[in-house]
Each structure stands twice: as C-alpha cells, then as structure tokens.
Amino acid sequence: MGRESLDIDGPQPSLGSRNGSKEFDLEARETVGQEVSQAKLDKVYRKLDYRIIPAFWSLYFLCSAIRSNVGLAQTMNESAHHDLASVLHLTPKQVSTGLALFYVCYVIFDFPSNLIMSKLSPHVWMSRIVIGVGIIGSCMAAMKAAWSFYLLRLLLGVVIAGMWPGMSFYLTLFYPPSRTGKRIGYYFTASQLSASVVGLVSAGFQKMDGLQGLVGFQWMFLIYGIIGISVGISLLWWLPDRPLPPGEERNREGYRRLIPQSRPALTGEDARIHYEDLTRVYTRKTWGWKDLGLVLIDWRLWPLVIMYFGVVGVGIGVQNYGTVIIQAINPSLSDIDLSLLFAPIWICDLIAIVIMMPISDRFHNYRPLIFGFACLVQITGLLVTTFSGHEKSWSRYAGLLIIGFGLGPTVPNVMAWTNEIFHTRHGEVGVAAASALVSGLGNLGSILTTYALYTGWPEDGNSSHPFRDSNVVMIGILCSSILSAALMALLLKIFGIVRNNAER
C-alpha cells in the first residue's frame, strides 16, 4: 500500500506530534504491520463488513425505492385511470419536469452535504438523510396536483443529497482505497434489487387500489416512507461512528451528549490491527479552504464527472421510464405485466455487479477498460431495443436486459476510481469533495434523460421505433463517458496520481 494519509478523528497521541513531541517510528510501524498475517487482516475487515454493509444495503435499498417509485407510478392501475398522471391531472411534460426537479436539487446540495458530513458525525448524517427521505416519501401519498408533485420532488432532492457520495466517503474512514470498490459494489446491489423488488411488489400494491380511499401508488409511497423512517432512526445505533486511535475516548461534550452513542465497530486487538493498517495508508489532518481549493482545481476531477454523467443518465433514464419503454414495445401488456417485466432488468444489473466488481478490485489498474467494456454493452442493448425485430418483438425487451447488465459495474467503478485518485492526492477532503462533485455534477445526465427525453419528448414516442431519438442521445452520452475514461487513463499514465513536492 502507499503511504499517503487517512483521517482518523481527534488527536493521535500514538502517532506523535508534528510540533516536536515523540516521533512515531515508521520502520517499527511497518514491522508491526508485517507481523499481522493477511488472513488475520482480512478477518478484521470481514467483521467491519458485517457491521457496515448490511446497514448501507438497507438504507440504499429504501432510499432508491422511494426515489424511483414515481417511475412505476406512471403505469400503475392505468386502466382504472389511477396512475400518477391521471390522479394528479398531469401532462407528460409535467411528469418529466417533476422527475427532473429532484435532480436539480440533488446536483445543488450534493457537494455541501458531503462537506458537512466530513465535519460532523458521519453516521448521524446518514441517519438524517434516511429519516428525511422517509418523511418526504410518506408525504408523496398525499399529492393532489402538479404543484405538490413539484414541491415534494424538490424537497426529496434536498434531503437525499449527499447520500451516495456520503456512503463512498464513509467507507474510506474504515477501509483502504484498494478495498472500497468491492464494498461499493456490495451495497450498490441494493439499488438494483430495490428496482426489481419494487417492480414486483408494485403488482401487489395495484391490488390494493381503492383500499381506504387510496390508490395503489399512494399505498406504495406511504408504506415505503414509514419503513424508511424506522430504518433511519435505527441507523443511529446500527452504524458505527468514525474510528478513533486505540484507547482514545470519544468527545461527548456539548450537543454530542444528545446523540445516541453507537458501539465501536471493532474492539481490542482487532481495533489495534485495523488502526495500524489504516495509518499505513494515510493520517488525518484537519482540512481548510485551501485544501478544498486544491481539490476543485485538480484536472483529474472532470473526466470522472463526464464518465459519471453518461452512465448515470442512462441508468436513471431506464429506471424512470423502463415501464414506459416496455409499454411502447408492446402496448397490449397489462399494468401488472409492465411491473413484472421491469424487475428482470435490474436482476441483470445485480448479476453484473456481483461478477465484475470483485474482478475490478483485483485488477484495479484496469478499471478504465472494465468501465469502457460495460458502456459498450449498454450501447449494444440500446441498439437492440431500438432497432431489432418488429413491433411487439421480445428481442427489443431483451435489449433492455442487456442495458441492465451493462449498467452494473459502471457507477461503482467510477466511485471507486474517484476514491483511489483523490484519497491518494488530497486525503479526506479529497474523497469528500470529489465524490460529491462527481455524483452531483454527473447527475446533470439524470436531468437530461428525465426532462428532455422519453415523455419529455412526446414526438419521439410516435414511430415504428418508439423513443428512437431518445435512445440515440443516450448512446451519444455513453460514447462521451468512454472517451473520458480513455483520456483519463492516458493522462494518468503521463502525469501520475501522486502529488509532487511543488503541488504539496
């Protein structure tokens, strides 16, 4: 491992002081690290996995479900005129506007949310996000008109901002960068399984249509929201706070006394081994505005943003309009058929993550190639779903499954590569700022696909190749992602990752 620095909260007496007290013996530290077997080290990180990954998986599952339910609501109980547009009296353009408003707020608030999280208790901030998402999700059951749809989508974007990059940042507090990619893939599967389960379960919610005066999609919003609030509260005890040097007590003064105290992730010998392994990678220092400015002017940030822009735009486009695309392929399908056919797209996505992300971590120097290959798979799927067969051809639906498989490893690879590069160059503030900017600015792609394409482009759905032009636009932004990954790989070969003395 490299010896850049990891931020561990609070003073670090065991490492010595830069102002003149005892200097820490680096050679002794390396000797200690060498005495710990790889098997023992892996066992320590597995213990962390059991504590962190299930919590992350649960919160991401619920937040993804609440965020994307609106896509399914467009076709739920449509035959009874109890779908989203009919109940709220929305035009297709108003639906696409409401979908896009979420991402506007997400882009604006993603960056400041992640910086705040880096200064506060990360597990409390994650809990705040999930509770907020649950509250807004529940309120969506009470929407009555376009204005309430717009307002709640805006608020949902505000409260959920910082969740995805915050999870990536949180991992770097507990894992070296070389171990984060696979973990990101683990909990990213929650989004795919969420899309699958939500699609399947929505068939059940459609059977509840009219119960207690609520239509099917209102029951869906309400129940997922209540579960989200419950899980968010539990995270205060479930997720561990950031690790401290062995023997150091956490500050519980002032407002911190009001925060529930979660038990440490590791104790005893495991905590010592973990701390020494992390401090071989990097050591925390308090960051300031100058450090943040160095991250913002680092050219390595912008190719990653473009990579994310393309793949997340396609992913969100398919997530929000998947049932609409399937309906255009075969208009004779029932509302429940559409919900059931939506699920396999995300099962394919999940399978790709499980297969590809461990390989990506093992061969992390080849992340650009793995990313580019996955983008080419998506392009193939878009071409198949647009041009293959005839109207009502199942081959077009197969194209959506291919897109799902291609989507799987793309976003986790971008975030893992961001962690590796900016963790090495800038430490904690690099991860916090870069992951938020990549996620936030990259989601401009989501605004493009939700507002300007599909139902936001009404003329595009009326042809023998429904949504042909929208799909071609998505192919174009995927090509930009591939080119950015290639350019990034080339420039890193030339200029490298590690900061030189002049940059420092």
Side-chain angles (χ1 to χ4, degrees):
M1 293 184 196
R3 288 180 182 76
E4 277 69 359
S5 66
L6 161 69
D7 288 324
I8 303 292
D9 217 8
Q12 301 178 34
S14 60
L15 293 184
S17 165
R18 295 191 179 190
N19 295 328
S21 52
K22 287 191 202 170
E23 293 292 329
F24 190 84
D25 187 342
L26 289 176
E27 292 183 4
R29 205 162 102 200
E30 287 188 8
T31 303
V32 171
Q34 291 167 1
E35 290 173 356
V36 178
S37 69
Q38 188 63 42
K40 177 65 175 175
L41 200 56
D42 290 342
K43 185 178 179 181
V44 168
Y45 283 109
R46 277 197 300 273
K47 287 184 178 181
L48 283 175
D49 290 343
Y50 296 146
R51 179 72 182 279
I52 295 171
I53 301 303
F56 268 22
W57 198 95
S58 300
L59 75 89
Y60 197 45
F61 179 97
L62 286 165
C63 288
S64 296
I66 293 168
R67 179 191 66 191
S68 61
N69 273 344
V70 68
L72 285 165
Q74 294 180 75
T75 55
M76 288 176 64
N77 300 114
E78 188 175 21
S79 58
H81 302 292
H82 288 171
D83 57 289
L84 180 73
S86 298
V87 173
L88 272 60
H89 308 292
L90 303 174
T91 66
K93 192 64 178 180
Q94 286 176 316
V95 172
S96 62
T97 300
L99 293 175
L101 285 174
F102 166 86
Y103 296 102
V104 172
C105 286
Y106 190 90
V107 168
I108 293 171
F109 289 98
D110 218 25
F111 180 62
S113 175
N114 223 35
L115 291 183
I116 293 170
M117 180 179 176
S118 73
K119 289 292 189 180
L120 301 179
S121 176
H123 80 296
V124 174
W125 197 250
M126 294 305 301
S127 174
R128 190 277 307 166
I129 289 173
V130 181
I131 293 171
V133 170
I135 292 172
I136 301 300
S138 298
C139 290
M140 291 182 76
M143 295 185 299
K144 297 297 182 184
W147 71 266
S148 56
F149 177 51
Y150 292 163
L151 175 62
L152 289 174
R153 287 291 292 179
L154 281 168
L155 291 176
L156 186 61
V158 172
V159 297
I160 204 173
M163 179 192 67
W164 174 242
M167 295 166 78
S168 180
F169 163 74
Y170 183 98
L171 280 188
T172 64
L173 301 177
F174 293 89
Y175 299 91
S178 60
R179 291 180 181 263
T180 61
K182 182 168 65 174
R183 272 81 185 181
I184 292 173
Y186 285 159
Y187 64 74
F188 191 61
T189 61
S191 178
Q192 283 60 51
L193 199 58
S194 171
S196 301
V197 170
V198 166
L200 295 171
V201 173
S202 69
F205 283 124
Q206 291 183 70
K207 296 292 186 180
M208 297 173 66
D209 188 53
L211 185 64
Q212 299 296 317
L214 298 179
V215 301
F217 76 78
Q218 290 173 328
W219 277 113
M220 180 173 65
F221 286 134
L222 181 62
I223 291 174
Y224 277 114
I226 292 172
I227 297 173
I229 294 169
S230 303
V231 170
I233 293 171
S234 74
L235 292 176
L236 292 169
W237 292 271
W238 192 355
L239 281 175
D241 206 341
R242 64 168 81 231
L244 295 175
E248 183 176 318
E249 294 293 326
R250 199 171 299 280
N251 182 0
R252 298 286 296 167
E253 298 177 356
Y255 73 90
R256 295 179 180 86
R257 290 178 298 177
L258 304 175
I259 299 174
Q261 189 168 7
S262 61
R263 61 184 177 85
L266 298 167
T267 57
E269 182 71 4
D270 288 340
R272 182 191 67 79
I273 292 171
H274 175 244
Y275 180 72
E276 289 175 353
D277 186 57
L278 282 179
T279 51
R280 287 193 308 115
V281 183
Y282 69 115
T283 305
R284 187 180 190 213
K285 66 182 182 71
T286 302
W287 60 266
W289 292 109
K290 180 181 178 182
D291 302 297
L292 179 59
L294 290 174
V295 177
L296 296 179
I297 62 174
D298 194 326
W299 61 264
R300 295 160 184 82
L301 181 67
W302 306 108
L304 292 165
V305 169
I306 298 172
M307 289 168 62
Y308 198 90
F309 176 94
V311 296
V312 81
V314 172
I316 295 301
V318 174
Q319 190 174 67
N320 284 331
Y321 295 115
T323 55
V324 175
I325 296 170
I326 297 169
Q327 187 179 49
I329 293 172
N330 189 346
S332 64
L333 294 170
S334 71
D335 304 336
I336 292 178
D337 289 337
L338 294 174
S339 295
L340 295 177
L341 288 169
F342 183 68
I345 300 170
W346 307 106
I347 294 173
C348 291
D349 194 324
L350 185 151
I351 292 170
I353 293 172
V354 172
I355 294 173
M356 297 302 297
M357 286 314 297
I359 296 173
S360 181
D361 261 12
R362 174 68 180 83
F363 302 100
H364 60 93
N365 289 330
Y366 296 95
R367 288 199 198 277
L369 287 177
I370 295 170
F371 175 87
F373 171 75
C375 288
L376 289 174
V377 171
Q378 292 175 64
I379 290 173
T380 301
L382 284 165
L383 291 171
V384 170
T385 203
T386 306
F387 298 109
S388 71
H390 52 78
E391 189 178 355
K392 297 186 180 182
S393 170
W394 283 103
S395 62
R396 294 189 180 184
Y397 173 72
L400 288 174
L401 301 182
I402 296 170
I403 295 169
F405 190 86
L407 281 169
T410 52
V411 169
N413 258 310
V414 176
M415 298 308 290
W417 207 16
T418 301
N419 286 351
E420 289 175 4
I421 294 170
F422 284 85
H423 187 284
T424 300
R425 290 183 58 77
H426 302 282
E428 181 173 309
V429 68
V431 176
S435 60
L437 287 168
V438 169
S439 170
L441 296 177
N443 262 288
L444 290 170
S446 303
I447 297 175
L448 169 67
T449 55
T450 53
Y451 180 74
L453 306 183
Y454 299 106
T455 59
W457 191 350
E459 301 82 6
D460 194 29
N462 303 320
S463 70
S464 59
H465 299 287
F467 304 119
R468 179 191 61 189
D469 293 341
S470 295
N471 292 340
V472 169
V473 170
M474 294 220 288
I475 290 172
I477 63 175
L478 283 171
C479 289
S480 71
S481 293
I482 295 172
L483 291 173
S484 293
L487 179 63
M488 182 72 152
L490 175 62
L491 291 176
L492 288 180
K493 285 283 187 184
I494 298 172
F495 298 104
I497 294 177
V498 180
R499 297 167 68 189
N500 58 37
N501 291 332
E503 289 178 301
R504 293 175 191 278

